């Protein structure tokens, strides 16, 4: 069966598929560069992982005490702080934010730059013209429509556009097994002062009730492990509920904690399988019910707490990764490799939430490799955003060209911001190029780096 579609009469310089962590920033950057931009987003707000999956706070990415992700990332943080939805703790960590506030900030920045957004719209199929994408067929309440642009940015997180366009990709580890997914939630009505005192007494030192951070992972010597063992024995929790448990304060939401858990059942790890993704939602909600009972029963200050938010989107750590003009390897990280076409610096560690037996968390910050020095970093090259086989497509974010291990380090939100900003500027330039219209490989990367530095980038 062939379904008919209509072609929208408008055309854009740049269409961004996916308005998430990388895509929203890419759209803002492209619009600020003078391009006519449309961001196509499946949800009803921008931000993706940071908003609809409720992944907060941002993970720190520093070298020598300085943030490696600047530019638009700094602007996002400043706007969040100005509206009471961002904060900096006593250690100088400025990554605390309220996901609901971030929705507003990203939308405002895109609209101020002159960009457009089309919500509640799903990618269906790119229409190829040789090595180029001529249009992107999407589906929404208006039916099937083809949207035309000179350059496309695949910021779906799962490389949906790239894969449909025939770009080669990798998925998971050597056996095709992915990292664990999570469904985050919040607990509201918490007596945070009482909880702080309890955590301090347990040896999980808390400087302030405004900036709580506590955790438990089986076998990692958490002071909360005994409470989890008791809850498992009492039938309140399942054994797997202790594979990963982590809570954080949220600026602008006093008395509320955001949890980086529960982990989804181990056999549900492929976010590109719609049946697994659907089952992840129901499995996650069942686990949240158990964790809510545990917190009320076992954590002082949480006895009268209630469920605040359940993220509308499952948190996905990895799925497809394109094969690009360069594939970043874990040895590039460990050896702190510097590339002539650098568009982002990273010092976040390899961070694999494994669904396999044995070690459930591979997150090492100490070792003999150059990468473990406090002032180290490695580069992410522009070529890792450029997919093989298509000339007018860029893929920033967690689907960039990298190995399974390397992706686990570069996937964090602030790196996605930086990759998205670089992709947005490059796409706008390629779309407006008189010499090589639409060709992302023809972008002057030296000029791109200069422009990113002018915008505050750390390169």
């Amino acid at each position: 069966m062939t379904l008919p579609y209509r072609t929208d009469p408008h055309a854009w310089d740049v269409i961004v598929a996916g308005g998430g962590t990388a895509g929203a920033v890419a759209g803002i950057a492209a619009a600020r560069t003078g391009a006519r931009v449309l961001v196509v987003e499946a949800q009803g707000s921008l931000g993706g992982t940071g908003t609809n999956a409720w992944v907060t706070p941002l993970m720190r990415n520093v070298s020598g005490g300085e943030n490696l992700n600047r530019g638009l990332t700094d602007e996002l943080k400043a706007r969040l702080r100005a509206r009471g939805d961002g904060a900096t703790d006593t250690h100088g960590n400025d990554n605390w934010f309220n996901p609901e506030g971030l929705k507003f900030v990203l939308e405002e920045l895109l609209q101020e730059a002159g960009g457009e957004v089309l919500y509640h719209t799903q990618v269906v199929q790119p229409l190829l013209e040789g090595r180029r994408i001529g249009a992107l067929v999407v589906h929404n309440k208006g039916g099937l429509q083809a949207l035309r642009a000179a350059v496309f940015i695949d910021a779906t997180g799962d490389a949906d556009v790239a894969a449909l366009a025939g770009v080669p990709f990798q998925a998971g580890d050597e056996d095709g097994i992915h990292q664990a997914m999570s469904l985050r939630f919040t607990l509201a009505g918490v007596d945070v002062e009482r909880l702080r005192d309890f955590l301090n007494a347990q040896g999980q030192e808390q400087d302030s009730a405004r900036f709580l951070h506590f955790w438990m992972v089986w076998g990692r010597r958490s002071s909360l492990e005994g409470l989890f063992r008791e809850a498992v024995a009492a039938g309140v929790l399942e054994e797997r509920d202790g594979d990963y448990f982590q809570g954080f304060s949220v600026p602008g939401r006093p008395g509320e904690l955001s949890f980086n858990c529960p982990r989804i059942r181990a056999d549900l790890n492929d976010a590109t399988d719609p049946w697994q993704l659907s089952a992840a939602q129901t499995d996650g909600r069942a686990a949240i019910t158990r964790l809510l009972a545990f917190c009320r029963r076992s954590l002082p200050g949480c006895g009268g707490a209630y469920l605040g938010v359940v993220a509308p989107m499952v948190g996905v750590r990895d799925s497809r990764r394109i094969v690009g003009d360069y594939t970043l390897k874990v040895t590039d990280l460990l050896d702190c490799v510097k590339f002539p076409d650098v568009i982002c610096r990273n010092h976040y560690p390899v961070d694999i939430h494994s669904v396999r037996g044995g070690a459930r968390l591979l997150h090492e910050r100490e070792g003999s490799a150059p990468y473990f020095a406090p002032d180290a970093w490695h580069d992410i090259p522009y070529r890792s955003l450029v997919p093989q086989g298509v000339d007018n497509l860029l893929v920033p974010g967690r689907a960039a060209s990298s190995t399974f291990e390397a992706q686990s380090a570069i996937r964090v939100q602030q790196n996605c911001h930086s990759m998205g900003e670089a992709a947005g500027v490059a796409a706008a330039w390629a779309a407006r190029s008189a010499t090589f219209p639409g060709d992302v490989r023809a972008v002057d990367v030296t000029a791109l780096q200069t422009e990113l530095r002018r915008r505050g980038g750390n390169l």
Side-chain angles (χ1 to χ4, degrees):
M1 179 175 66
T2 301
L3 296 176
Y5 62 85
R6 66 178 180 86
T7 299
D8 192 285
H10 303 94
W12 289 266
D13 296 319
V14 178
I15 288 180
V16 182
T21 309
V25 172
I28 294 164
R32 286 183 172 182
T33 309
R36 186 177 182 198
V37 175
L38 175 66
V39 178
V40 176
E41 168 54 36
Q43 304 289 329
S45 57
L46 299 174
T49 295
T51 56
N52 292 308
W54 255 82
V55 178
T56 182
L58 300 169
M59 294 295 97
R60 299 193 78 179
N61 182 27
V62 299
S63 175
E66 294 189 13
N67 289 336
L68 291 177
N69 307 104
R70 306 296 298 273
L72 261 169
T73 299
D74 280 348
E75 193 168 345
L76 293 178
K77 293 176 181 178
R79 291 239 182 166
L80 286 164
R81 288 193 297 270
R83 57 180 289 130
D85 289 320
T88 303
D89 64 25
T90 56
H91 299 285
N93 182 357
D94 61 355
N95 295 310
W96 303 85
F97 76 96
N98 175 7
E100 295 302 317
L102 183 58
K103 293 177 181 178
F104 289 83
V105 169
L106 289 169
E107 190 171 85
E108 289 165 1
L109 287 171
L110 180 65
Q111 291 177 333
E112 288 169 9
E116 298 177 85
V117 62
L118 185 61
Y119 288 129
H120 306 296
T121 299
Q122 296 276 356
V123 168
V124 176
Q125 182 70 45
L127 301 180
L128 295 175
E129 300 170 355
R131 287 177 55 93
R132 301 167 65 88
I133 299 173
L136 187 63
V137 177
V138 301
H139 181 263
N140 53 29
K141 286 294 185 179
L144 291 168
Q145 304 139 65
L147 307 175
R148 295 171 297 147
V151 178
F152 294 82
I153 295 175
D154 182 346
T156 60
D158 300 314
D160 290 337
V161 176
L164 290 166
V167 172
F169 63 87
Q170 299 173 328
D173 61 14
E174 65 275 10
D175 298 318
I177 303 299
H178 299 270
Q179 291 195 58
M181 295 189 282
S182 299
L183 183 65
R184 296 186 66 147
F185 72 101
T186 74
L187 197 61
V190 176
D191 183 340
V192 291
E193 285 80 13
R194 187 179 175 199
L195 179 59
R196 175 205 57 202
D197 293 343
F198 167 75
L199 293 169
N200 281 331
Q202 291 289 309
Q204 294 205 23
E205 186 175 346
Q206 311 292 321
D207 289 340
S208 166
R210 291 184 58 221
F211 299 104
L212 296 181
H213 172 215
F214 53 98
W215 63 279
M216 204 299 291
V217 177
W218 294 130
R220 287 271 176 159
R221 293 180 293 185
S222 168
S223 58
L224 301 181
E225 183 162 338
L227 292 178
F228 273 76
R229 284 294 173 206
E230 291 172 6
V232 171
V236 176
L237 293 177
E238 294 183 5
E239 177 76 16
R240 68 184 178 99
D241 295 327
D243 286 347
Y244 198 84
F245 174 84
Q246 189 178 37
F248 297 96
S249 297
V250 185
R253 302 175 78 94
E256 191 166 7
L257 302 171
S258 173
F259 288 86
N260 184 17
C261 54
R263 276 190 175 182
I264 303 305
R265 205 174 71 218
D267 61 306
L268 304 174
N269 62 76
D270 184 357
T272 65
D273 181 330
W275 295 99
Q276 290 194 37
L277 196 59
S278 181
Q281 296 274 179
T282 56
D283 180 73
R285 279 192 281 269
I288 288 169
T289 300
R290 297 192 298 271
L291 289 169
L292 177 62
F294 165 76
C295 290
R296 287 171 168 165
R297 176 181 188 267
S298 302
L299 296 182
C302 298
Y306 57 92
L307 187 62
V309 173
V310 176
M313 193 171 87
V314 173
V316 178
R317 293 180 171 91
D318 82 291
S319 57
R320 300 188 190 101
R321 308 181 307 278
I322 63 162
V323 177
D325 286 356
Y326 185 84
T327 297
L328 193 71
K329 302 177 291 295
V330 72
T331 51
D332 295 328
L333 277 64
L334 296 176
D335 294 337
C336 298
V337 173
K338 309 300 190 289
F339 295 99
D341 58 336
V342 54
I343 47 86
C344 177
R345 291 175 173 177
N346 176 56
H347 194 212
Y348 190 75
V350 168
D351 184 17
I352 298 173
H353 291 244
S354 176
V355 298
R356 297 179 181 274
R360 295 292 189 179
L361 178 66
L362 303 175
H363 182 100
E364 303 300 334
R365 292 181 178 270
E366 296 180 355
S368 58
Y371 193 61
F372 294 109
D375 58 350
W377 78 84
H378 73 88
D379 290 344
I380 299 174
Y382 177 73
R383 286 166 293 159
S384 289
L385 279 57
V386 180
Q388 292 183 4
V390 182
D391 292 337
N392 65 334
L393 178 65
L394 289 168
V395 186
R398 63 178 171 84
S401 184
S402 56
T403 64
F404 178 73
E405 293 83 2
Q407 188 270 355
S408 75
I410 67 171
R411 64 180 170 81
V412 292
Q413 290 184 69
Q414 297 193 79
N415 283 332
C416 292
H417 293 162
S418 296
M419 286 186 269
E421 186 167 8
V425 176
W429 283 0
R432 296 292 182 93
S433 172
T435 310
F436 302 101
D439 189 349
V440 297
R441 287 179 176 81
V443 169
D444 184 336
V445 177
T446 300
L448 175 62
Q449 292 167 332
T450 299
E451 177 63 13
L452 292 173
R453 292 188 189 101
R454 188 189 70 80
R455 299 184 183 206
N458 187 355
L459 299 177

